Amino acid sequence: SNAITVNSGTISFTGSTPQVIPANAFVGNTIPNLTTNNAAGVSLAGTLNITGIMKPQAGIFNTGGFLTLRSTSTVTALVDGSGSGNISGNVTMQRYIPKGFGYKYVSSPFSSSTVADMAPYVNLSATFPRFYSYNEDLASAGWVTYTTSTNALVPMRGYAANFGTSPAALTMSLTGTVNNGPYSATLYNNNRTYTQGFNLMGNPYPSPIDWNASSGWTRTNIDNAIYYFNASDTNQY
């Protein structure tokens, strides 16, 4: 049968018996939005790119390792976690970076990611280290070299990555099983001279976070402010 062209709207799979999304079902293997609402489960049998919102409303959506959340200069796909369903199987999540120059803060939405996954984008063997974790309880500035390939990218921890000297745009991607359910982290303020109670945190989900959201997350004993590094156009440091 012919592939379906989907330029807008949402494709929804709803039923009471297991469903399969066949390979090459859609033109370009790309659709804007997908909702799976089937307690018996929905499985993906071939490459599928989503440019908007993936919502597991009910049941298990088994990606088979075929799902990519696309990111471009205009939009980044996400998982809507408001439903009761879950995603199993590997997912590739992209992040478009308009200027791959100097330091950016990164984190992983997968529990299995390691520093090695950053190797295509960061020179992990550079003489001057280009990848760091952060320790609030240090007398120095808090940055800790974190270039060992087997080191985990721990959910909810942020990392600083130096993407190099090219001003060109780049799209990075990580692949793994998306984090499901609640995540929490203990923050510290050891009153050090330079770190001053700052903790570098990461988003553990393949979804944006609204700092001002009144529900969904708790920020106990945290100042109502968030800071990030903005590399200049001429000095990557």
Side-chain angles (χ1 to χ4, degrees):
S1 60
N2 294 328
I4 303 170
T5 299
V6 185
N7 294 321
S8 62
T10 299
I11 299 294
S12 181
F13 283 80
T14 303
S16 56
T17 59
Q19 293 174 301
V20 176
I21 303 175
N24 303 313
F26 306 103
V27 171
N29 294 317
T30 300
I31 60 175
N33 309 298
L34 174 67
T35 295
T36 54
N37 189 7
N38 186 342
V42 178
S43 298
L44 189 56
T47 299
L48 184 64
N49 303 305
I50 293 178
T51 60
I53 298 173
M54 163 68 235
K55 183 176 183 179
Q57 179 65 47
I60 302 297
F61 175 47
N62 189 338
T63 71
F66 294 118
L67 181 67
T68 295
L69 301 176
R70 295 285 301 276
S71 180
T72 68
S73 60
T74 57
V75 67
T76 293
L78 60 92
V79 173
D80 180 345
S82 64
S84 61
N86 285 312
I87 299 174
S88 68
N90 279 350
V91 175
T92 296
M93 183 176 183
Q94 296 182 345
R95 172 60 69 178
Y96 175 85
I97 300 174
K99 184 177 295 184
F101 179 83
Y103 285 96
K104 309 286 189 295
Y105 291 152
V106 299
S107 64
S108 175
F110 312 119
S111 59
S112 59
S113 295
T114 65
V115 171
D117 296 326
M118 297 299 301
Y121 317 105
V122 177
N123 183 356
L124 298 175
S125 60
T127 302
F128 191 95
R130 292 190 176 184
F131 200 74
Y132 295 87
S133 61
Y134 191 82
N135 183 352
E136 185 273 340
D137 191 19
L138 289 181
S140 61
W143 296 108
V144 179
T145 300
Y146 204 74
T147 54
T148 301
S149 294
T150 54
N151 283 354
L153 299 183
V154 180
M156 293 202 74
R157 291 186 187 173
Y159 301 91
N162 187 327
F163 288 89
T165 59
S166 172
L170 66 88
T171 300
M172 64 172 292
S173 65
L174 293 176
T175 300
T177 302
V178 297
N179 294 325
N180 287 298
Y183 277 78
S184 63
T186 301
L187 307 183
Y188 297 93
N189 184 352
N190 289 285
N191 198 31
R192 294 289 192 174
T193 301
Y194 297 104
T195 58
Q196 299 180 16
F198 280 97
N199 293 256
L200 185 59
M201 306 305 297
N203 179 358
Y205 304 113
S207 317
I209 289 178
D210 179 2
W211 177 266
N212 294 315
S214 59
S215 62
W217 69 321
T218 303
R219 304 184 303 278
T220 304
N221 296 326
I222 302 175
D223 291 343
N224 190 29
I226 187 169
Y227 297 83
Y228 63 92
F229 179 78
N230 188 14
S232 75
D233 290 337
T234 57
N235 186 345
Q236 59 183 308
Y237 303 109

